[in-house]
Coordinates of all heavy atoms in Angstrom, one line a residue:
T1 N 111.1 32.0 75.5 CA 109.8 31.6 76.1 C 109.8 30.1 76.2 O 110.1 29.4 75.3 CB 108.7 32.1 75.1 OG1 108.8 33.5 74.9 CG2 107.4 31.7 75.7
E2 N 109.5 29.7 77.4 CA 109.5 28.3 77.7 C 108.3 28.0 78.6 O 107.8 28.8 79.4 CB 110.7 27.9 78.5 CG 112.0 28.0 77.8 CD 113.2 27.6 78.6 OE1 113.0 27.2 79.8 OE2 114.3 27.7 78.1
Y3 N 107.8 26.7 78.4 CA 106.7 26.3 79.3 C 107.3 25.6 80.5 O 108.2 24.7 80.4 CB 105.8 25.3 78.6 CG 104.6 24.9 79.4 CD1 103.5 25.8 79.4 CD2 104.5 23.8 80.1 CE1 102.4 25.5 80.2 CE2 103.4 23.5 80.9 CZ 102.4 24.3 80.9 OH 101.3 24.1 81.7
D4 N 106.9 26.1 81.7 CA 107.5 25.5 82.9 C 106.4 24.6 83.5 O 105.3 25.0 84.0 CB 107.8 26.7 83.9 CG 108.5 26.2 85.2 OD1 108.2 25.1 85.6 OD2 109.4 26.9 85.6
E5 N 106.7 23.3 83.5 CA 105.7 22.3 84.0 C 105.4 22.6 85.5 O 104.3 22.4 85.9 CB 106.3 20.9 83.8 CG 106.4 20.5 82.4 CD 105.1 20.1 81.8 OE1 104.1 19.9 82.5 OE2 105.0 20.1 80.5
A6 N 106.5 22.9 86.3 CA 106.3 23.1 87.7 C 105.3 24.3 88.0 O 104.5 24.2 89.0 CB 107.6 23.4 88.4
L7 N 105.3 25.3 87.2 CA 104.4 26.4 87.3 C 103.2 26.3 86.5 O 102.2 27.1 86.7 CB 105.1 27.7 86.9 CG 106.4 28.1 87.6 CD1 107.1 29.3 87.0 CD2 106.0 28.4 89.1
S8 N 103.1 25.3 85.6 CA 102.0 25.1 84.8 C 101.7 26.4 84.0 O 100.5 26.8 83.8 CB 100.7 24.7 85.5 OG 100.9 23.5 86.2
S9 N 102.7 27.0 83.5 CA 102.5 28.2 82.7 C 103.8 28.5 81.9 O 104.8 27.9 82.0 CB 102.3 29.4 83.7 OG 103.5 29.7 84.4
W10 N 103.6 29.5 80.9 CA 104.6 29.9 80.1 C 105.5 31.0 80.8 O 104.9 31.8 81.5 CB 104.1 30.5 78.8 CG 103.5 29.5 77.9 CD1 102.2 29.1 77.8 CD2 104.2 28.7 77.0 NE1 102.0 28.1 76.9 CE2 103.2 27.8 76.3 CE3 105.5 28.6 76.6 CZ2 103.6 26.9 75.4 CZ3 105.8 27.7 75.6 CH2 104.9 26.8 75.0
V11 N 106.8 30.9 80.6 CA 107.7 31.9 81.3 C 108.3 32.7 80.1 O 109.0 32.1 79.3 CB 108.7 31.2 82.1 CG1 109.7 32.2 82.7 CG2 108.1 30.4 83.2
F12 N 108.1 34.0 80.1 CA 108.7 34.9 79.1 C 109.9 35.6 79.7 O 109.8 36.2 80.8 CB 107.6 35.9 78.7 CG 106.4 35.3 78.0 CD1 105.3 34.9 78.8 CD2 106.4 35.1 76.7 CE1 104.3 34.3 78.2 CE2 105.4 34.5 76.0 CZ 104.3 34.1 76.8
T13 N 111.0 35.6 79.0 CA 112.2 36.2 79.5 C 112.4 37.5 78.6 O 112.4 37.4 77.4 CB 113.4 35.3 79.3 OG1 113.1 34.1 80.0 CG2 114.6 35.9 79.9
D14 N 112.5 38.6 79.3 CA 112.7 39.9 78.6 C 114.2 40.3 78.7 O 114.7 40.6 79.8 CB 111.8 40.9 79.3 CG 112.0 42.3 78.8 OD1 112.8 42.5 77.9 OD2 111.3 43.2 79.3
W15 N 114.9 40.2 77.6 CA 116.3 40.5 77.6 C 116.6 42.0 77.2 O 117.7 42.3 76.8 CB 117.1 39.6 76.7 CG 117.1 38.2 77.0 CD1 116.6 37.2 76.3 CD2 117.6 37.6 78.2 NE1 116.8 36.0 76.9 CE2 117.4 36.2 78.1 CE3 118.2 38.1 79.4 CZ2 117.8 35.3 79.1 CZ3 118.5 37.2 80.4 CH2 118.3 35.9 80.3
F16 N 115.6 42.8 77.3 CA 115.7 44.2 76.9 C 115.8 45.2 78.0 O 115.2 45.0 79.1 CB 114.5 44.5 76.0 CG 114.4 43.7 74.7 CD1 113.5 42.6 74.7 CD2 115.2 43.9 73.6 CE1 113.4 41.9 73.5 CE2 115.2 43.1 72.5 CZ 114.3 42.1 72.5
V17 N 116.4 46.2 77.8 CA 116.4 47.4 78.6 C 115.3 48.3 77.9 O 115.2 48.4 76.7 CB 117.7 48.2 78.6 CG1 117.6 49.5 79.3 CG2 118.8 47.3 79.2
D18 N 114.4 48.8 78.7 CA 113.3 49.6 78.2 C 113.7 51.1 78.1 O 114.3 51.6 79.0 CB 112.0 49.5 79.0 CG 111.5 48.1 79.0 OD1 111.6 47.4 78.0 OD2 110.9 47.7 80.0
I19 N 113.4 51.7 76.9 CA 113.7 53.1 76.7 C 112.4 53.8 76.4 O 111.7 53.4 75.4 CB 114.7 53.2 75.5 CG1 116.0 52.5 75.8 CG2 115.0 54.7 75.2 CD1 117.0 52.4 74.7
I20 N 112.1 54.7 77.2 CA 110.9 55.5 77.0 C 111.3 56.9 76.5 O 112.0 57.6 77.1 CB 110.1 55.7 78.4 CG1 109.9 54.3 79.0 CG2 108.9 56.5 78.2 CD1 109.5 54.3 80.4
W21 N 110.8 57.1 75.3 CA 111.2 58.3 74.5 C 110.0 59.2 74.3 O 108.9 58.8 74.0 CB 111.7 57.8 73.1 CG 112.0 58.9 72.1 CD1 111.2 59.3 71.1 CD2 113.2 59.7 72.0 NE1 111.8 60.3 70.4 CE2 113.0 60.5 70.9 CE3 114.4 59.8 72.7 CZ2 114.0 61.4 70.5 CZ3 115.3 60.7 72.3 CH2 115.1 61.5 71.2
S22 N 110.2 60.5 74.5 CA 109.2 61.5 74.2 C 109.7 62.3 73.0 O 110.6 63.2 73.1 CB 109.0 62.4 75.4 OG 108.2 63.5 75.0
P23 N 109.2 62.1 71.8 CA 109.6 62.8 70.6 C 109.4 64.3 70.7 O 110.3 65.1 70.2 CB 108.8 62.2 69.5 CG 108.2 61.0 70.0 CD 108.2 61.1 71.5
S24 N 108.4 64.7 71.4 CA 108.1 66.2 71.4 C 109.2 66.9 72.2 O 109.5 68.1 71.9 CB 106.7 66.4 72.0 OG 106.6 65.9 73.3
S25 N 109.7 66.3 73.2 CA 110.7 67.0 74.1 C 112.1 66.5 73.7 O 113.1 67.2 74.1 CB 110.4 66.7 75.5 OG 110.7 65.4 75.9
G26 N 112.2 65.4 73.0 CA 113.5 64.9 72.7 C 114.2 64.2 73.9 O 115.4 64.0 73.9
R27 N 113.4 64.0 74.9 CA 114.0 63.4 76.2 C 113.6 61.9 76.2 O 112.7 61.5 75.7 CB 113.4 64.1 77.4 CG 113.8 65.6 77.4 CD 113.2 66.3 78.5 NE 114.2 66.2 79.6 CZ 114.0 66.7 80.8 NH1 112.9 67.4 81.1 NH2 114.9 66.5 81.7
Y28 N 114.5 61.2 76.9 CA 114.2 59.7 77.1 C 114.6 59.3 78.5 O 115.3 60.0 79.2 CB 115.0 58.9 76.1 CG 116.5 59.1 76.2 CD1 117.3 58.3 77.1 CD2 117.2 60.0 75.4 CE1 118.6 58.5 77.2 CE2 118.6 60.2 75.5 CZ 119.3 59.4 76.4 OH 120.6 59.6 76.5
R29 N 114.1 58.2 78.9 CA 114.4 57.5 80.2 C 114.7 56.1 79.9 O 114.0 55.4 79.1 CB 113.1 57.6 81.0 CG 113.4 57.7 82.5 CD 112.1 58.1 83.3 NE 110.9 57.7 82.7 CZ 110.0 56.9 83.3 NH1 110.3 56.3 84.5 NH2 108.9 56.6 82.7
V30 N 115.8 55.6 80.5 CA 116.2 54.2 80.4 C 115.8 53.5 81.7 O 116.2 54.0 82.7 CB 117.7 54.1 80.1 CG1 118.1 52.6 80.0 CG2 118.1 54.9 78.9
V31 N 115.0 52.4 81.6 CA 114.5 51.7 82.7 C 114.9 50.3 82.6 O 115.2 49.8 81.6 CB 113.0 51.9 83.0 CG1 112.7 53.4 83.3 CG2 112.2 51.4 81.8
D32 N 114.8 49.6 83.7 CA 115.1 48.2 83.8 C 116.6 47.8 83.9 O 117.0 46.7 83.8 CB 114.5 47.3 82.8 CG 113.0 47.3 82.9 OD1 112.5 47.6 84.0 OD2 112.3 46.9 81.9
L33 N 117.5 48.9 84.0 CA 118.9 48.6 84.2 C 119.2 47.9 85.5 O 120.1 47.0 85.6 CB 119.7 49.9 84.1 CG 119.8 50.5 82.7 CD1 120.5 51.9 82.8 CD2 120.6 49.6 81.8
D34 N 118.4 48.2 86.5 CA 118.5 47.5 87.8 C 118.2 46.0 87.7 O 118.9 45.1 88.2 CB 117.7 48.1 88.9 CG 116.2 48.3 88.6 OD1 115.9 48.2 87.4 OD2 115.4 48.4 89.5
D35 N 117.2 45.7 86.9 CA 116.8 44.3 86.7 C 117.9 43.6 85.9 O 118.3 42.4 86.2 CB 115.5 44.1 85.9 CG 114.3 44.7 86.7 OD1 114.4 44.7 87.9 OD2 113.3 45.0 86.0
L36 N 118.5 44.2 84.9 CA 119.6 43.7 84.1 C 120.8 43.4 85.0 O 121.4 42.3 84.9 CB 119.9 44.6 83.0 CG 121.0 44.1 82.1 CD1 120.7 42.8 81.4 CD2 121.3 45.2 81.0
A37 N 121.1 44.3 85.9 CA 122.2 44.1 86.8 C 121.9 42.9 87.8 O 122.8 42.1 88.0 CB 122.4 45.4 87.7
D38 N 120.7 42.8 88.2 CA 120.4 41.7 89.1 C 120.5 40.3 88.4 O 121.2 39.4 88.9 CB 118.9 41.8 89.6 CG 118.7 42.9 90.6 OD1 119.7 43.4 91.2 OD2 117.5 43.2 90.8
V39 N 120.0 40.2 87.1 CA 120.1 38.9 86.5 C 121.6 38.6 86.1 O 122.0 37.5 86.0 CB 119.2 38.8 85.2 CG1 117.7 38.8 85.7 CG2 119.4 39.8 84.2
H40 N 122.4 39.7 85.8 CA 123.8 39.5 85.5 C 124.5 39.0 86.8 O 125.3 38.1 86.8 CB 124.4 40.8 85.0 CG 125.9 40.7 84.8 ND1 126.8 41.2 85.6 CD2 126.5 40.1 83.7 CE1 128.0 40.9 85.1 NE2 127.9 40.2 84.0
Q41 N 124.2 39.6 87.9 CA 124.8 39.2 89.2 C 124.4 37.7 89.5 O 125.2 37.0 90.1 CB 124.4 40.1 90.3 CG 125.1 39.9 91.6 CD 124.7 40.9 92.7 OE1 123.8 41.7 92.5 NE2 125.5 40.9 93.7
L42 N 123.2 37.3 89.2 CA 122.7 36.0 89.5 C 123.3 35.0 88.5 O 123.2 33.8 88.7 CB 121.2 35.9 89.4 CG 120.5 36.6 90.6 CD1 119.0 36.7 90.3 CD2 120.8 35.9 91.9
G43 N 123.9 35.5 87.4 CA 124.5 34.5 86.4 C 123.6 34.1 85.3 O 123.9 33.3 84.5
V44 N 122.4 34.7 85.3 CA 121.4 34.4 84.3 C 121.8 35.0 82.9 O 121.7 34.4 81.9 CB 120.0 34.9 84.7 CG1 119.0 34.6 83.6 CG2 119.5 34.2 86.0
V45 N 122.4 36.1 83.0 CA 123.0 36.8 81.8 C 124.5 36.9 82.0 O 125.0 37.4 83.0 CB 122.4 38.3 81.7 CG1 123.1 39.1 80.7 CG2 120.9 38.2 81.4
D46 N 125.2 36.3 81.1 CA 126.7 36.4 81.2 C 127.2 37.7 80.6 O 126.5 38.5 80.2 CB 127.3 35.2 80.4 CG 127.0 35.2 78.9 OD1 126.7 36.2 78.3 OD2 127.2 34.1 78.3
D47 N 128.5 37.9 80.7 CA 129.1 39.1 80.3 C 128.9 39.4 78.9 O 128.7 40.6 78.5 CB 130.7 39.1 80.6 CG 131.0 39.1 82.1 OD1 130.1 39.4 82.9 OD2 132.1 38.8 82.4
L48 N 129.0 38.4 78.0 CA 128.8 38.6 76.6 C 127.4 39.1 76.3 O 127.2 40.1 75.5 CB 129.1 37.3 75.8 CG 129.1 37.4 74.3 CD1 130.2 38.4 73.8 CD2 129.3 36.1 73.7
L49 N 126.4 38.5 76.9 CA 125.0 38.9 76.6 C 124.7 40.3 77.2 O 124.1 41.2 76.6 CB 124.0 37.9 77.2 CG 122.5 38.2 77.0 CD1 122.2 38.4 75.5 CD2 121.7 37.1 77.5
L50 N 125.3 40.6 78.4 CA 125.2 41.9 79.0 C 125.7 43.0 78.1 O 125.1 44.0 77.8 CB 125.9 41.9 80.4 CG 125.9 43.3 81.1 CD1 124.5 43.7 81.5 CD2 126.9 43.3 82.2
H51 N 126.9 42.7 77.5 CA 127.5 43.6 76.6 C 126.6 43.9 75.4 O 126.4 45.0 74.9 CB 128.9 43.1 76.2 CG 129.6 44.0 75.2 ND1 130.1 45.2 75.5 CD2 129.8 43.9 73.8 CE1 130.6 45.8 74.4 NE2 130.4 45.0 73.4
H52 N 126.1 42.8 74.8 CA 125.2 42.9 73.7 C 123.9 43.7 74.0 O 123.6 44.6 73.2 CB 124.8 41.5 73.2 CG 123.8 41.5 72.1 ND1 124.2 41.9 70.8 CD2 122.5 41.2 72.1 CE1 123.1 41.9 70.0 NE2 122.1 41.5 70.8
I53 N 123.3 43.5 75.1 CA 122.1 44.2 75.5 C 122.4 45.7 75.7 O 121.7 46.6 75.2 CB 121.5 43.7 76.8 CG1 121.0 42.3 76.6 CG2 120.4 44.6 77.4 CD1 120.6 41.5 77.9
L54 N 123.5 46.0 76.4 CA 123.9 47.4 76.6 C 124.3 48.1 75.3 O 123.9 49.3 75.0 CB 125.0 47.6 77.6 CG 124.6 47.2 79.0 CD1 125.8 47.2 79.9 CD2 123.5 48.0 79.6
Q55 N 125.0 47.4 74.4 CA 125.4 48.0 73.1 C 124.2 48.2 72.2 O 124.1 49.2 71.6 CB 126.4 47.0 72.4 CG 127.1 47.6 71.2 CD 128.1 46.6 70.7 OE1 127.9 45.4 70.7 NE2 129.2 47.2 70.2
S56 N 123.3 47.3 72.2 CA 122.1 47.4 71.4 C 121.2 48.6 71.9 O 120.7 49.4 71.1 CB 121.2 46.2 71.4 OG 122.0 45.1 70.9
S57 N 121.1 48.7 73.2 CA 120.4 49.9 73.8 C 121.0 51.2 73.4 O 120.3 52.1 73.1 CB 120.3 49.7 75.3 OG 119.6 48.5 75.7
Q58 N 122.3 51.2 73.5 CA 123.0 52.5 73.1 C 122.8 52.8 71.7 O 122.7 53.9 71.3 CB 124.5 52.4 73.5 CG 125.2 53.7 73.2 CD 124.7 54.8 74.1 OE1 124.6 54.7 75.3 NE2 124.3 55.9 73.5
A59 N 122.8 51.8 70.8 CA 122.6 52.0 69.4 C 121.2 52.6 69.1 O 121.1 53.4 68.3 CB 122.8 50.7 68.6
L60 N 120.2 52.1 69.9 CA 118.9 52.7 69.7 C 118.9 54.1 70.2 O 118.3 55.0 69.5 CB 117.9 51.9 70.5 CG 116.4 52.4 70.5 CD1 115.9 52.5 69.1 CD2 115.5 51.6 71.4
L61 N 119.5 54.4 71.3 CA 119.6 55.8 71.8 C 120.3 56.7 70.8 O 119.8 57.8 70.5 CB 120.3 55.9 73.1 CG 119.5 55.3 74.3 CD1 120.4 55.2 75.5 CD2 118.2 56.1 74.6
D62 N 121.4 56.2 70.2 CA 122.1 57.0 69.2 C 121.2 57.2 68.0 O 121.1 58.3 67.4 CB 123.3 56.2 68.7 CG 124.4 56.1 69.8 OD1 124.3 56.9 70.8 OD2 125.3 55.3 69.6
S63 N 120.4 56.2 67.6 CA 119.4 56.4 66.5 C 118.4 57.4 66.8 O 118.0 58.2 65.9 CB 118.8 55.0 66.2 OG 117.9 55.1 65.1
L64 N 117.9 57.4 68.0 CA 116.8 58.3 68.4 C 117.3 59.8 68.4 O 116.6 60.7 68.1 CB 116.3 58.0 69.8 CG 115.5 56.7 69.9 CD1 115.2 56.4 71.4 CD2 114.2 56.8 69.1
E65 N 118.6 59.9 68.6 CA 119.2 61.3 68.6 C 119.1 61.9 67.2 O 119.0 63.1 67.0 CB 120.7 61.2 69.0 CG 120.9 60.8 70.4 CD 120.8 61.9 71.4 OE1 121.1 63.0 71.1 OE2 120.4 61.6 72.5
N66 N 119.1 61.0 66.1 CA 119.1 61.4 64.7 C 117.7 61.6 64.2 O 117.5 62.6 63.4 CB 119.9 60.5 63.9 CG 121.3 60.4 64.3 OD1 121.9 61.5 64.6 ND2 121.9 59.3 64.3
A67 N 116.8 60.7 64.5 CA 115.4 60.8 63.9 C 114.5 59.9 64.7 O 114.9 58.9 65.3 CB 115.5 60.4 62.5
F68 N 113.2 60.3 64.7 CA 112.2 59.5 65.3 C 111.1 59.3 64.3 O 110.6 60.3 63.7 CB 111.7 60.1 66.6 CG 110.8 59.1 67.3 CD1 111.3 58.2 68.2 CD2 109.4 59.1 67.1 CE1 110.5 57.3 68.8 CE2 108.6 58.2 67.7 CZ 109.1 57.3 68.6
P69 N 110.6 58.1 64.0 CA 111.1 56.8 64.6 C 112.4 56.4 63.9 O 112.6 56.8 62.7 CB 110.0 55.8 64.3 CG 109.3 56.4 63.1 CD 109.4 57.9 63.2
P70 N 113.2 55.6 64.5 CA 114.4 55.2 63.9 C 114.1 54.4 62.7 O 113.1 53.7 62.6 CB 115.1 54.2 65.0 CG 114.4 54.5 66.2 CD 113.1 55.1 65.9
V71 N 115.0 54.4 61.7 CA 114.8 53.7 60.4 C 114.5 52.2 60.7 O 113.7 51.6 59.9 CB 116.0 54.0 59.5 CG1 117.2 53.1 59.8 CG2 115.6 53.8 58.1
E72 N 115.1 51.6 61.7 CA 114.9 50.2 61.9 C 113.4 49.9 62.3 O 112.9 48.9 61.9 CB 115.8 49.7 63.1 CG 117.3 49.7 62.8 CD 117.9 51.1 63.0 OE1 117.3 52.0 63.4 OE2 119.1 51.2 62.8
L73 N 112.8 50.8 63.1 CA 111.4 50.6 63.4 C 110.5 50.9 62.3 O 109.5 50.2 62.1 CB 111.1 51.6 64.6 CG 111.7 51.3 65.9 CD1 111.2 52.3 67.0 CD2 111.4 49.9 66.4
T74 N 110.9 51.8 61.4 CA 110.1 52.1 60.2 C 110.1 50.9 59.3 O 109.0 50.5 58.8 CB 110.7 53.3 59.5 OG1 110.7 54.4 60.4 CG2 109.8 53.7 58.3
K75 N 111.3 50.3 59.1 CA 111.4 49.1 58.3 C 110.6 47.9 58.9 O 109.9 47.2 58.1 CB 112.8 48.7 58.1 CG 113.6 49.6 57.2 CD 115.1 49.1 57.1 CE 115.9 50.0 56.2 NZ 117.3 49.6 56.2
M76 N 110.7 47.7 60.2 CA 109.9 46.7 60.8 C 108.4 46.9 60.7 O 107.7 45.9 60.5 CB 110.4 46.5 62.3 CG 109.7 45.4 63.0 SD 109.9 43.8 62.3 CE 111.6 43.5 62.7
S77 N 108.0 48.1 60.9 CA 106.5 48.4 60.8 C 106.0 48.1 59.4 O 104.9 47.5 59.2 CB 106.3 49.8 61.1 OG 106.5 50.1 62.5
A78 N 106.8 48.5 58.4 CA 106.4 48.2 57.0 C 106.3 46.7 56.8 O 105.4 46.2 56.1 CB 107.4 48.8 56.0
L79 N 107.3 45.9 57.2 CA 107.3 44.5 57.1 C 106.1 43.9 57.8 O 105.4 43.0 57.3 CB 108.6 43.9 57.6 CG 108.7 42.4 57.6 CD1 108.6 41.9 56.1 CD2 110.0 41.9 58.2
M80 N 105.8 44.3 59.0 CA 104.6 43.8 59.8 C 103.3 44.1 59.1 O 102.4 43.3 59.1 CB 104.6 44.4 61.2 CG 105.8 43.8 62.0 SD 106.0 44.6 63.6 CE 104.6 43.9 64.5
R81 N 103.2 45.3 58.4 CA 102.0 45.6 57.7 C 101.9 44.7 56.4 O 100.8 44.2 56.1 CB 102.0 47.1 57.2 CG 101.5 48.1 58.2 CD 101.3 49.4 57.6 NE 101.5 50.4 58.6 CZ 102.7 50.9 59.0 NH1 103.8 50.6 58.4 NH2 102.8 51.8 60.0
Q82 N 103.0 44.4 55.8 CA 103.1 43.6 54.6 C 102.6 42.2 54.9 O 101.9 41.6 54.1 CB 104.5 43.6 54.1 CG 104.6 42.8 52.8 CD 106.0 42.8 52.2 OE1 107.0 43.2 53.0 NE2 106.2 42.4 51.0
I83 N 102.9 41.6 56.1 CA 102.5 40.3 56.4 C 101.2 40.2 57.2 O 100.8 39.2 57.6 CB 103.6 39.5 57.2 CG1 104.0 40.2 58.5 CG2 104.8 39.3 56.3 CD1 105.0 39.4 59.3
G84 N 100.6 41.4 57.4 CA 99.3 41.4 58.1 C 99.3 41.5 59.6 O 98.2 41.2 60.2
W85 N 100.4 41.8 60.2 CA 100.4 41.8 61.6 C 100.0 43.2 62.2 O 99.8 43.3 63.4 CB 101.8 41.5 62.2 CG 102.2 40.1 62.0 CD1 101.4 39.1 61.4 CD2 103.4 39.4 62.5 NE1 102.1 37.9 61.5 CE2 103.3 38.1 62.2 CE3 104.5 39.9 63.2 CZ2 104.3 37.2 62.5 CZ3 105.5 39.0 63.5 CH2 105.4 37.6 63.1
L86 N 100.0 44.2 61.3 CA 99.5 45.5 61.7 C 98.4 46.0 60.8 O 98.3 45.6 59.7 CB 100.6 46.6 61.6 CG 101.7 46.6 62.6 CD1 102.7 47.6 62.3 CD2 101.2 46.7 64.1

Protein backbone atom coordinates (compact mmCIF):
# COMPACT_ATOMS: atom_id res chain seq x y z
CA THR A 1 0.00 0.00 0.00
CA GLU A 2 1.44 3.32 -1.05
CA TYR A 3 0.24 6.89 -1.23
CA ASP A 4 0.47 8.19 -4.80
CA GLU A 5 0.93 11.98 -4.83
CA ALA A 6 0.01 12.20 -8.53
CA LEU A 7 -3.33 10.50 -7.87
CA SER A 8 -3.80 12.09 -4.43
CA SER A 9 -4.87 8.71 -3.14
CA TRP A 10 -3.74 5.44 -1.62
CA VAL A 11 -2.96 2.61 -4.04
CA PHE A 12 -3.59 -0.91 -2.79
CA THR A 13 -1.83 -3.79 -4.53
CA ASP A 14 -3.51 -7.18 -4.35
CA TRP A 15 -0.97 -9.98 -4.80
CA PHE A 16 -3.54 -12.70 -4.27
CA VAL A 17 -5.45 -15.05 -6.48
CA ASP A 18 -9.03 -15.21 -5.21
CA ILE A 19 -10.50 -18.59 -4.37
CA ILE A 20 -14.26 -18.80 -3.96
CA TRP A 21 -15.16 -21.94 -2.02
CA SER A 22 -18.58 -23.46 -1.36
CA PRO A 23 -18.26 -25.77 1.65
CA SER A 24 -21.70 -27.29 1.10
CA SER A 25 -20.86 -28.52 -2.40
CA GLY A 26 -17.11 -28.88 -1.95
CA ARG A 27 -16.61 -26.89 -5.15
CA TYR A 28 -14.37 -23.90 -5.70
CA ARG A 29 -13.59 -21.32 -8.32
CA VAL A 30 -10.21 -19.66 -8.80
CA VAL A 31 -10.42 -16.10 -10.14
CA ASP A 32 -7.99 -13.31 -10.97
CA LEU A 33 -5.51 -15.61 -12.69
CA ASP A 34 -5.89 -13.43 -15.78
CA ASP A 35 -4.96 -10.33 -13.75
CA LEU A 36 -1.96 -12.17 -12.35
CA ALA A 37 -0.86 -13.13 -15.86
CA ASP A 38 -1.22 -9.51 -17.00
CA VAL A 39 0.93 -8.08 -14.19
CA HIS A 40 3.50 -10.82 -14.74
CA GLN A 41 3.64 -10.00 -18.44
CA LEU A 42 4.03 -6.29 -17.60
CA GLY A 43 6.92 -7.09 -15.27
CA VAL A 44 5.15 -5.91 -12.11
CA VAL A 45 5.35 -9.45 -10.72
CA ASP A 46 8.59 -11.31 -11.37
CA ASP A 47 8.92 -15.08 -11.83
CA LEU A 48 9.79 -15.66 -8.17
CA LEU A 49 6.73 -13.79 -6.86
CA LEU A 50 4.51 -15.45 -9.47
CA HIS A 51 5.72 -18.86 -8.30
CA HIS A 52 5.08 -17.91 -4.66
CA ILE A 53 1.53 -16.69 -5.39
CA LEU A 54 0.63 -19.82 -7.36
CA GLN A 55 2.25 -22.14 -4.80
CA SER A 56 0.41 -20.42 -1.93
CA SER A 57 -2.89 -20.61 -3.81
CA GLN A 58 -2.37 -24.32 -4.43
CA ALA A 59 -1.53 -24.86 -0.75
CA LEU A 60 -4.85 -23.24 0.20
CA LEU A 61 -6.73 -25.42 -2.29
CA ASP A 62 -4.99 -28.51 -0.89
CA SER A 63 -5.98 -27.43 2.61
CA LEU A 64 -9.60 -26.92 1.55
CA GLU A 65 -9.69 -30.47 0.21
CA ASN A 66 -9.03 -31.74 3.75
CA ALA A 67 -11.20 -29.49 5.92
CA PHE A 68 -13.09 -26.23 5.99
CA PRO A 69 -12.13 -23.82 7.34
CA PRO A 70 -8.43 -24.55 6.93
CA VAL A 71 -6.49 -24.68 10.17
CA GLU A 72 -4.56 -21.55 9.14
CA LEU A 73 -7.79 -19.53 8.96
CA THR A 74 -8.99 -20.93 12.27
CA LYS A 75 -5.73 -19.90 13.96
CA MET A 76 -5.86 -16.45 12.37
CA SER A 77 -9.48 -15.92 13.46
CA ALA A 78 -8.60 -16.88 17.04
CA LEU A 79 -5.69 -14.43 17.04
CA MET A 80 -7.86 -11.65 15.59
CA ARG A 81 -10.49 -12.26 18.32
CA GLN A 82 -7.76 -12.19 20.95
CA ILE A 83 -6.51 -8.76 19.86
CA GLY A 84 -10.02 -7.40 19.40
CA TRP A 85 -10.20 -7.23 15.62
CA LEU A 86 -13.23 -9.56 15.48
